[in-house]
């Protein structure tokens, strides 16, 4: 679990790359500059950790591209103390970004192997999510609702209704990539019981949001 000057230097380069692609939120950039992404990846990929690319993390899953993580996080507009639900814990990198922003993070992962690995790993780095859950993100986490925001980190073939209904009614935000092969990054802002604003932000590619646990 080493974080060397070399890693730190590469990380500052990555921050510049992500900023050059249009990310302006200082807190998000600071989080990317701080979190040792190489430790979230299998050792074979260490050299790639600070390229702006997605990489395999086992169980057929990937750690999202840093730009994508930053883009989604920026859309969430997290303020310290916000209650945030993440669907797709994966490596825990996005979870760590949310923790850096001061969010109370609840995160659901459907793959038991990843759930176990990440549950052990995150606290070692000092990142304490409120709750990591082995479960199905399509259902969300009704017992902890409402959330200030919800982030889905896998490609959703459709927008799960439970996630919309678990947003707080005055301005809760859902950031979700919607589509099959390619996904459109979509932001829903809840304005009332049945009122939602919808904004779209271009195409991204994610591993699919799958139903049920595994
Ligand atoms: N946020 C992660 C991204 C991992 S990729 C990171 O920063 O590394 C997406 C993750 O979503 C995978 O780990 C996958 O297993 C998980 N996933 C897919 N379908 C899911 C579902 N229905 N509920 C919860 N997690 C799911």
């Amino acid at each position: 679990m080493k974080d060397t000057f070399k890693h730190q230097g590469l990380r500052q380069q990555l921050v510049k790359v992500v900023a050059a692609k249009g990310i302006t939120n200082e807190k998000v950039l600071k989080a990317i500059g701080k979190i040792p992404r190489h430790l979230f990846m299998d050792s074979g990929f260490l050299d790639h950790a600070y390229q702006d690319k997605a990489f395999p993390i086992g169980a057929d899953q990937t750690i999202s591209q840093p730009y994508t993580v930053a883009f989604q996080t920026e859309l969430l507009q997290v303020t310290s103390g916000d209650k945030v639900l993440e669907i797709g814990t994966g490596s825990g990198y996005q979870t760590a970004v949310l923790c850096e922003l001061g969010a109370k993070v609840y995160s659901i992962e459907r793959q038991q192997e990843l759930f176990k690995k990440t549950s052990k790993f995150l606290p070692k780095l000092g990142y304490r999510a409120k709750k990591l859950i082995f479960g199905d993100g399509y259902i969300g986490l009704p017992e902890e609702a409402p959330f200030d925001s919800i982030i889905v980190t896998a490609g959703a073939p459709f927008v799960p209704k439970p996630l919309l209904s678990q947003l707080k009614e005055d301005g809760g935000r859902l950031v979700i990539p919607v589509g099959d092969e390619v996904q459109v990054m979509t932001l829903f802002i809840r304005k009332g019981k049945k009122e939602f604003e919808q904004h779209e932000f271009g195409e991204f590619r994610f591993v699919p949001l799958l139903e049920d646990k595994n």
Side-chain angles (χ1 to χ4, degrees):
M1 298 260 290
K2 267 198 199 150
D3 189 31
T4 64
F5 282 124
K6 183 180 165 215
H7 293 124
Q8 290 163 27
L10 290 171
R11 211 145 61 223
Q12 297 321 310
Q13 288 304 315
L14 175 62
V15 170
K16 283 187 189 150
V17 170
V18 169
K21 289 184 180 175
I23 302 300
T24 55
N25 186 309
E26 286 298 330
K27 287 183 187 155
V28 173
L29 292 172
K30 207 174 151 201
I32 289 177
K34 188 168 169 198
I35 301 168
R37 186 170 186 257
H38 62 286
L39 300 179
F40 290 74
M41 297 168 52
D42 292 338
S43 55
F45 292 109
L46 281 187
D47 286 345
H48 300 279
Y50 296 107
Q51 294 178 20
D52 189 26
K53 287 185 181 162
F55 276 104
I57 52 172
D60 276 338
Q61 300 306 324
T62 56
I63 177 170
S64 300
Q65 184 182 343
Y67 170 70
T68 305
V69 171
F71 192 87
Q72 287 196 279
T73 310
E74 199 164 65
L75 287 179
L76 286 182
Q77 295 187 354
V78 177
T79 47
S80 189
D82 275 4
K83 198 168 175 184
V84 180
L85 175 65
E86 176 188 23
I87 309 298
T89 316
S91 69
Y93 182 75
Q94 172 75 66
T95 316
V97 170
L98 294 168
C99 288
E100 282 289 348
L101 296 178
K104 296 183 194 123
V105 189
Y106 297 77
S107 185
I108 306 178
E109 173 55 55
R110 72 174 281 282
Q111 296 244 22
Q112 191 157 30
E113 184 190 326
L114 280 173
F115 163 74
K116 282 188 184 155
K117 189 170 162 189
T118 302
S119 301
K120 269 198 199 145
F121 170 71
L122 276 178
K124 283 190 195 155
L125 284 190
Y127 292 115
R128 291 181 199 283
K130 269 275 171 195
K131 217 182 215 177
L132 298 176
I133 300 110
F134 171 53
D136 179 5
Y138 275 97
I139 302 160
L141 199 60
E143 64 272 30
E144 295 290 350
F147 295 95
D148 293 294
S149 59
I150 301 179
I151 176 172
V152 179
T153 70
F158 59 89
V159 181
K161 287 249 164 62
L163 300 185
L164 288 170
S165 70
Q166 288 168 34
L167 292 173
K168 70 171 183 186
E169 285 184 19
D170 52 337
R173 299 164 82 86
L174 168 65
V175 174
I176 179 168
V178 188
D180 293 313
E181 300 283 290
V182 174
Q183 295 85 34
V184 175
M185 192 62 77
T186 311
L187 165 67
F188 291 89
I189 306 174
R190 190 168 192 181
K191 297 287 186 179
K193 195 148 189 60
K194 292 195 168 159
E195 266 174 85
F196 295 89
E197 245 177 56
Q198 183 175 346
H199 305 267
E200 293 182 352
F201 296 89
E203 293 184 347
F204 289 79
R205 275 175 198 274
F206 286 79
V207 295
L209 187 68
L210 300 171
E211 296 196 50
D212 245 328
K213 314 189 263 197
N214 182 1

